[in-house]
Amino acid sequence: MTDTRSLPSDLDSNPLIAGLNAPQRDAVLTTEGPVLMLAGAGTGKTSALTRRLAWLVHSRRAWPSEILCVTFTNKAAREMRERVAQLIGPAVEGMPWLGTFHAIAAKMLRRHAELVGLEANYTIIDTDDQLRLIKQLIQAEGVDDKRWPAKQLAGCIDRWKNRGLNPGDLDAGENEAYANGKGRHFYALYQERLKAVNACDFGDLLLHMLNILRQHRDVLEQYQQRFKYVMVDEYQDTNQVQYLWLRLIAQARRNICVVGDDDQSIYSWRGAEVANILRFEKDFPGAKVIRLEQNYRSTPQILSAASGLINENSQRLGKTLWTERHAGDKVHIIGVWDAPEEARRVSDEIERLEREGAPLDQIAILVRAQYQTREFEDRFISIGMKYRIVGGFRFYERAEIRDALAYLRVIAQPADDLAFERIYNTPKRGLGAKALEKLHQLARRQGTPLSKAAIEIVDTDELPARARNTLLSLMRDFARWRDLDQTEGPAELMRTVLDESGYTDALQAEKTPEANGRQENLVELARAMEEYASLGDFLEHVSLVMDNDAADTEEKVTIMTMHAAKGLEFDNVFLPGWEDGVFPSQRALDEGGLASLEEERRLAYVAITRAKRKCTILHAANRRIYGQWTSSIPSRFVAELPDADVESETTLTGGASLWRAQWSEHADPFADAARNQPSRIVTRGPGWQRAAAREFDASPRRVAESTRSAASFASKPRTDLAVGARVFHEKFGYGTVAAQEGNKLEIEFEQAGAKRVLDSFVKPA
């Protein structure tokens, strides 16, 4: 219901309300109880959402810190914060709980990490580190990683976490999804390994918090009382774990407002469930549904065509978009012979629009699959057309950036084995696979991170002298860099690390254009770091954002996927490849059933409604897909567009009605980091390794060894290896223990002579 408490008499002149249409105004003023804001494409949902947030603060219904406002992207969170700031001023700075699902969950988890076996300064690993860790587990278990690749297991784990499932929750079917019934086993191993290195992946941020809220009533009640109001953008894109997390927090006060459009739910492949928005009224009985249907973006013809198409879906709440804009062009459908001709027709149309004064940055080509972009790139390069591909290699995913970040992660988090593995021999310093294997053996035997194992092993003869000296130098460097982190800013620290590690010299020695570009990228990374007060703040920013916001002001035609275009708008939109098998995709037709077909239709609806003035759909009679020419029929979605809203230009068919008749012959059944820096390793004095180990043990980041004594680095000596005992070592052979100091032994080997080794590497003979 609309809460009329403290409503001023001159409400219509209030800048937070002025200019809103009736449903938008209702959405802003209905503050109490559950609200579903069903917002169609281009209906001003962002304006309604931001003004509702501002109204809650302005009307003093809640302090900014008492409002939980969740978005899906950092860009959306940033834009919302900026818009609210324009409405209510500096009060927006007091909104710590406005952000993405992952950012908010990460903030919560740092407060309660110990409840799931982590320290507050845990590392958030990325996909690259995740795959390397999983591959290690697969190989250690003796499973064929070619038959059962790490990427497959990573996909399974991601899917399970999106559904809120822990290893023990997997049923027989899910368990069989990997390695013939070892899914649960590997999932559990993976989670144990993450905890051992004080890390979590993105899926853990929400899953861990869901587990905490379920298992610790006091924590749940704390957040239920803290948040007087909950607001969620793009609710149709929530997955199961996000849905369960939100429902737990909001179920006490029930002041939850979700904004979304069931007709734009297009992300099932990453776990989104359209059912979440469809059952909102059941989850929150008495919820008020407010439909935003007045479109401010597109012409009546574009809206009518899109509405006619989406009406073919059965699983939807239903709404009718309308606009006060003047009539425009009908949706233009063009049939061509093949993909090269398709690219020529599009480029010809764009050149015509450019001659008529249309800005290039208001022209977009939206494709269903990435491989479709090649023809357009080739064509645009040949005619000198300026264009950009959206969704290419991102800045923080480049190899040199990952290397630099790995150094910084080891400095901030000594237990980060994944980062240590990446750079222990980068640049090349003579530490090969055998040295790493020795470190892994020691780390596994003693339950310690690789960094600590490295500190211990350099005081023995387990590695060749050259490898020991190199590793000793590297660990001393890390100790010095940790000291520098106390006095220098993140940017200067990174420059020092790259210079002293030899990374900069190695790039300069390559003397190639690629190496020059990599150096420029590292310079840009340093510039980005200058905006952050601490290394921990910067590393968490990288983990949560992972994008490059560099400005590009030059006008260019945009080429991107339909999925990536959601939320954007352009004056002129070209939609190539509307053939069955391309769009809807063959995978959706073969594997997904009716649900996948309806999602493909929602994607078509999203694509059409990106257009403000003109929408052009193209289909080809022949197309090369993965190297093979195939003959195609127009997409069934072309046949579903209302005849009154389209105009055709093709020699292959006779208009939308004939396409419908043609397609019916082929129809299938579907037609129905808080900053807690680690203690610093001290390098002064001859016993620096032992001092380093004591510092490591005293660090709040210790994981597997958290219950061990921090009094000394040496492990307890083995009683079966006393002085005089005969032993065997895989490398040095048979020998006799001559002296013992903690877990270090001096052994007289029959062939190799006197050696200092760790007791974990020998066994009684």
Side-chain angles (χ1 to χ4, degrees):
M1 57 175 285
T2 302
D3 187 355
T4 57
R5 293 176 303 169
S6 305
L7 291 182
S9 57
D10 59 342
L11 187 62
D12 290 338
S13 62
N14 190 301
L16 299 182
I17 307 301
L20 298 177
N21 61 37
Q24 289 174 327
R25 174 185 169 125
D26 199 12
V28 170
L29 298 180
T30 305
T31 57
E32 309 307 304
V35 176
L36 168 58
M37 197 188 307
L38 198 60
T43 57
K45 63 100 174 175
T46 302
S47 178
L49 185 65
T50 53
R51 294 203 194 191
R52 188 180 198 275
L53 179 57
W55 178 257
L56 291 174
V57 177
H58 173 76
S59 61
R60 300 185 180 179
R61 283 166 173 75
W63 293 104
S65 60
E66 295 175 323
I67 302 173
L68 173 62
C69 186
V70 190
T71 68
F72 265 85
T73 66
N74 290 285
K75 179 182 177 182
R78 184 167 59 249
E79 290 179 351
M80 184 172 294
R81 190 176 294 275
E82 291 171 354
R83 288 197 184 198
V84 174
Q86 293 174 358
L87 294 169
I88 61 174
V92 71
E93 298 303 324
M95 289 187 170
W97 302 104
L98 192 167
T100 65
F101 276 100
H102 288 112
I104 291 173
K107 183 179 297 185
M108 290 181 174
L109 186 56
R110 295 210 184 273
R111 299 184 175 197
H112 311 287
E114 73 282 355
L115 298 179
V116 288
L118 295 172
E119 300 288 343
N121 53 6
Y122 61 82
T123 298
I124 304 172
I125 67 172
D126 59 19
T127 302
D128 183 62
D129 287 335
Q130 180 188 33
L131 289 174
R132 286 195 292 121
L133 188 153
I134 290 175
K135 189 171 184 179
Q136 293 170 10
L137 295 176
I138 294 171
Q139 293 174 344
E141 291 292 303
V143 171
D144 185 353
D145 59 357
K146 292 184 178 179
R147 183 180 179 189
W148 301 101
K151 196 169 185 178
Q152 179 183 349
L153 179 56
C156 290
I157 291 174
D158 185 57
R159 183 176 73 249
W160 294 330
K161 291 184 178 182
N162 285 341
R163 294 171 57 193
L165 300 176
N166 296 290
D169 300 325
L170 302 187
D171 59 26
E174 293 291 355
N175 191 39
E176 290 290 332
Y178 184 79
N180 296 324
K182 294 186 178 180
R184 183 185 299 112
H185 174 68
F186 274 106
Y187 186 9
L189 285 179
Y190 173 69
Q191 292 301 95
E192 291 169 4
R193 184 60 179 150
L194 284 177
K195 289 184 181 180
V197 297
N198 195 31
C200 61
D201 60 26
F202 279 91
D204 281 325
L205 297 175
L206 281 155
L207 181 61
H208 282 328
M209 276 312 305
L210 178 62
N211 290 333
I212 289 171
L213 295 178
R214 282 172 162 173
Q215 297 167 14
H216 299 274
R217 186 72 189 178
D218 57 328
V219 178
L220 173 61
E221 290 177 350
Q222 172 188 335
Y223 286 109
Q224 287 178 336
Q225 292 304 310
R226 173 187 294 272
F227 300 127
K228 291 184 177 180
Y229 296 94
V230 177
M231 298 173 62
V232 189
D233 194 13
E234 304 289 4
Y235 191 67
Q236 79 282 347
D237 293 334
T238 54
N239 59 32
Q240 186 71 359
V241 71
Q242 292 164 342
Y243 161 80
L244 294 171
W245 177 76
L246 284 167
R247 195 175 65 174
L248 278 173
I249 292 174
Q251 65 184 187
R253 294 181 181 268
R254 299 180 77 249
N255 288 335
I256 179 172
C257 174
V258 302
V259 184
D261 183 2
D262 53 324
D263 291 334
Q264 296 188 72
S265 179
I266 58 174
Y267 296 118
S268 66
W269 47 275
R270 68 183 188 196
E273 296 190 14
V274 68
N276 293 343
I277 192 170
L278 296 177
R279 67 185 175 206
F280 182 81
E281 292 176 89
K282 182 178 180 180
D283 289 334
F284 295 94
K288 183 171 184 177
V289 180
I290 301 173
R291 286 175 166 80
L292 304 187
E293 298 174 309
Q294 183 176 358
N295 180 280
Y296 295 93
R297 175 190 299 158
S298 305
T299 64
Q301 286 75 14
I302 291 173
L303 291 182
S304 181
S307 297
L309 176 64
I310 200 63
N311 282 338
E312 298 290 331
N313 274 7
S314 60
Q315 297 297 312
R316 58 190 300 261
L317 296 172
K319 59 189 171 301
T320 303
L321 299 185
W322 60 277
T323 182
E324 293 181 343
R325 292 190 61 183
H326 298 299
D329 295 335
K330 294 182 178 182
V331 174
H332 194 187
I333 300 175
I334 303 175
V336 297
W337 177 250
D338 58 13
E341 183 183 347
E342 183 179 62
R344 287 194 296 272
R345 282 301 307 268
V346 170
S347 66
D348 290 347
E349 289 293 317
I350 292 175
E351 287 182 316
R352 180 185 63 80
L353 290 169
E354 189 177 21
R355 288 194 299 271
E356 295 174 356
L360 290 182
D361 59 2
Q362 280 298 310
I363 300 174
I365 301 170
L366 309 183
V367 298
R368 176 62 182 88
Q370 285 285 358
Y371 68 80
Q372 293 176 256
T373 66
R374 188 187 65 82
E375 294 286 356
F376 295 99
E377 290 189 78
D378 288 348
R379 176 63 180 169
F380 289 177
I381 290 172
S382 68
I383 66 175
M385 177 74 68
K386 297 177 182 178
Y387 72 95
R388 66 169 59 88
I389 299 288
V390 175
F393 224 54
R394 294 181 293 178
F395 183 75
Y396 290 109
E397 293 177 344
R398 295 169 183 172
E400 64 276 9
I401 303 300
R402 284 185 177 276
D403 291 341
L405 293 176
Y407 273 102
L408 298 175
R409 283 167 52 185
V410 175
I411 292 170
Q413 170 60 283
D416 192 337
D417 284 2
L418 300 170
F420 183 86
E421 282 182 351
R422 184 179 182 95
I423 49 80
Y424 88 107
N425 195 37
T426 302
K428 299 293 183 182
R429 51 174 64 95
L431 295 173
K434 290 184 178 179
L436 182 60
E437 183 180 356
K438 283 284 187 182
L439 288 178
H440 270 298
Q441 289 175 6
L442 179 59
R444 284 196 298 268
R445 288 169 180 169
Q446 297 191 349
T448 62
L450 291 176
S451 292
K452 187 172 181 181
I455 295 170
E456 184 170 356
I457 205 169
V458 296
D459 198 31
T460 74
D461 294 320
E462 300 290 349
L463 297 176
R466 180 179 177 183
R468 289 201 308 272
N469 291 335
T470 301
L471 191 57
L472 174 62
S473 177
L474 178 63
M475 299 314 296
R476 283 176 169 166
D477 285 341
F478 272 114
R480 183 175 64 260
W481 296 332
R482 290 191 182 99
D483 286 337
L484 287 176
D485 187 28
Q486 297 294 304
T487 58
E488 293 185 352
E492 188 57 37
L493 174 65
M494 192 205 74
R495 295 185 185 102
T496 301
V497 169
L498 293 181
D499 288 342
E500 294 184 354
S501 67
Y503 198 95
T504 301
D505 290 340
L507 279 183
Q508 292 174 346
E510 290 184 21
K511 299 185 184 300
T512 63
E514 292 78 11
N516 291 335
R518 295 170 66 188
Q519 291 179 62
E520 291 172 0
N521 290 336
L522 291 171
V523 171
E524 181 61 29
L525 176 64
R527 290 175 185 162
M529 296 178 69
E530 290 173 351
E531 300 177 9
Y532 292 85
S534 73
L535 179 58
D537 290 344
F538 175 72
L539 291 176
E540 179 151 319
H541 164 77
V542 172
S543 297
L544 294 172
V545 179
M546 289 296 286
D547 67 1
N548 180 22
D549 294 329
D552 185 357
T553 57
E554 187 177 23
E555 285 189 6
K556 299 177 182 178
V557 176
T558 299
I559 306 175
M560 64 198 309
T561 65
M562 296 174 183
H563 283 99
K566 185 173 177 294
L568 304 179
E569 59 184 37
F570 304 89
D571 286 344
N572 298 278
V573 171
F574 294 88
L575 306 176
W578 280 45
E579 304 109 38
D580 264 32
V582 176
F583 188 49
S585 71
Q586 197 61 48
R587 176 173 295 182
L589 297 177
D590 293 342
E591 301 175 7
L594 181 60
S596 287
L597 181 60
E598 292 209 346
E599 178 158 328
E600 291 284 285
R601 190 176 285 111
R602 292 195 292 269
L603 185 57
Y605 172 84
V606 168
I608 293 173
T609 54
R610 298 311 94 196
K612 297 164 65 176
R613 297 181 179 179
K614 179 73 175 179
C615 177
T616 303
I617 297 172
L618 301 98
H619 64 90
N622 304 279
R623 188 174 298 275
R624 186 186 292 271
I625 300 177
Y626 301 119
Q628 302 223 345
W629 282 102
T630 60
S631 297
S632 305
I633 61 170
S635 169
R636 65 195 68 198
F637 300 151
V638 173
E640 293 169 357
L641 295 170
D643 286 343
D645 301 310
V646 301
E647 60 180 4
S648 61
E649 177 190 337
T650 176
T651 60
L652 302 174
T653 56
S657 296
L658 183 53
W659 285 330
R660 183 176 288 107
Q662 280 187 319
W663 193 86
S664 66
E665 298 176 6
H666 304 273
D668 60 18
F670 297 143
D672 298 306
R675 176 172 169 87
N676 283 317
Q677 294 296 332
S679 301
R680 300 304 183 215
I681 293 180
V682 181
T683 61
R684 302 173 182 84
W688 77 272
Q689 295 102 322
R690 292 183 179 81
R694 286 194 293 273
E695 292 292 330
F696 196 102
D697 276 336
S699 165
R701 285 188 168 93
R702 69 185 188 273
V703 186
E705 74 274 34
S706 59
T707 59
R708 309 175 86 190
S709 171
S712 71
F713 178 64
S715 302
K716 293 181 179 179
R718 287 172 55 179
T719 57
D720 59 339
L721 297 177
V723 174
R726 185 170 171 78
V727 295
F728 176 78
H729 189 285
E730 289 183 359
K731 179 180 179 181
F732 302 129
Y734 290 94
T736 302
V737 178
Q740 183 179 32
E741 179 186 357
N743 66 331
K744 297 183 177 65
L745 306 174
E746 184 171 336
I747 301 175
E748 288 288 342
F749 288 99
E750 295 173 359
Q751 301 296 329
K755 299 288 184 183
R756 284 177 60 83
V757 301
L758 299 171
D759 60 12
S760 59
F761 283 91
V762 300
K763 58 184 179 181

